[in-house]
Amino acid sequence: MSNVKVAIIYYSSTGTNYKMAKWAEEGAKAQGAEVKLVKIPELAPQAAIDSNPAWKAHVEETKDVPEVTLDDLEWADAFIFSVPTRFGNIPGQVKQFLDTTGGLWFNGKLVNKVASAMSSAQNAHGGQEATILALYTTMHHWGTIVASPGYSDPVTFASGGNPYGTSVTVDQDGNMKEDVEEAVKYQAKRTIDIASRIKRGNE
């Protein structure tokens, strides 16, 4: 699996999905993958960011994390996305980036790559599953292979039982209510395993 290249792509306003992306990075590197951790650019006005101390602090904390580019998508064999839910859908920042991928899609550059996704919300039924599935809709259009964790390992049950991708509930203070670290790392492992099988099959 050492030759699998993974782009871990996240959007995070206050840090939850950044933390999940970092766990995915750890999990991917433990499998010997070559990893890029990149963030989706922030589009919110500075005034909105400044109005939320946690948001402002997180933007400052991650200022040195590189922003995702189309080259990262072309480079990678697999993608792991970590994004929060916005009314049961993906954030506008994420949609804006996905909408720039038309050239790669048109030229078949994303076909047979592997994708998996994670999400978060402030309540247990706040749209995590719908957000992951909404993101996977784009993956289907790309011709990308979706590597959901399913119930392929007991860790899925221990972290809340979401078969589409790891999801977590976050309280008003930004604390995760479920322990999802091992589920995230397992999801990264599974994504790399599937990507490795596809890559070998294409050689």
Side-chain angles (χ1 to χ4, degrees):
M1 298 183 193
S2 60
N3 62 341
V4 172
K5 295 177 289 188
V6 184
I8 299 173
I9 303 165
Y10 78 93
Y11 172 74
S12 192
S13 52
T14 58
T16 299
N17 286 277
Y18 172 65
K19 186 176 290 184
M20 293 170 74
K22 292 291 288 182
W23 287 335
E25 180 184 33
E26 289 179 32
K29 286 182 175 179
Q31 298 303 310
E34 184 179 349
V35 182
K36 285 185 181 181
L37 178 71
V38 289
K39 65 185 177 187
I40 290 173
E42 182 59 80
L43 301 177
Q46 191 63 43
I49 297 169
D50 291 344
S51 70
N52 182 329
W55 194 354
K56 184 178 180 180
H58 179 66
V59 168
E60 179 64 24
E61 176 193 0
T62 57
K63 65 183 180 182
D64 295 329
V65 177
E67 292 185 345
V68 65
T69 68
L70 297 178
D71 288 342
D72 295 325
L73 295 183
E74 190 165 359
W75 166 85
D77 300 308
F79 318 118
I80 299 173
F81 288 89
S82 187
V83 303
T85 185
R86 293 290 185 267
F87 301 111
N89 213 319
I90 60 175
Q93 292 86 344
V94 179
K95 183 65 164 63
Q96 173 69 21
F97 173 68
L98 296 179
D99 284 349
T100 70
T101 63
L104 293 176
W105 164 80
F106 182 80
N107 290 293
K109 298 292 188 179
L110 304 172
V111 172
N112 291 338
K113 293 177 185 280
V114 174
S116 201
M118 308 178 289
S119 191
S120 66
Q122 286 194 339
N123 53 72
H125 301 288
Q128 295 102 318
E129 292 181 3
T131 297
I132 291 171
L133 293 172
L135 186 61
Y136 287 162
T137 298
T138 297
M139 304 301 104
H140 290 304
H141 281 258
W142 284 357
T144 296
I145 309 302
V146 171
S148 52
Y151 298 113
S152 55
D153 189 276
V155 73
T156 301
F157 293 102
S159 62
N162 187 341
Y164 309 108
T166 306
S167 63
V168 70
T169 312
V170 183
D171 66 21
Q172 294 292 330
D173 296 319
N175 302 307
M176 295 187 190
K177 293 185 178 182
E178 299 91 14
D179 183 0
V180 298
E181 181 176 354
E182 292 308 312
V184 169
K185 290 178 178 179
Y186 171 73
Q187 188 170 342
K189 177 181 178 181
R190 176 166 163 76
T191 302
I192 292 160
D193 178 45
I194 293 171
S196 177
R197 293 167 188 259
I198 290 172
K199 191 166 185 175
R200 285 199 306 267
N202 289 333
E203 291 174 349

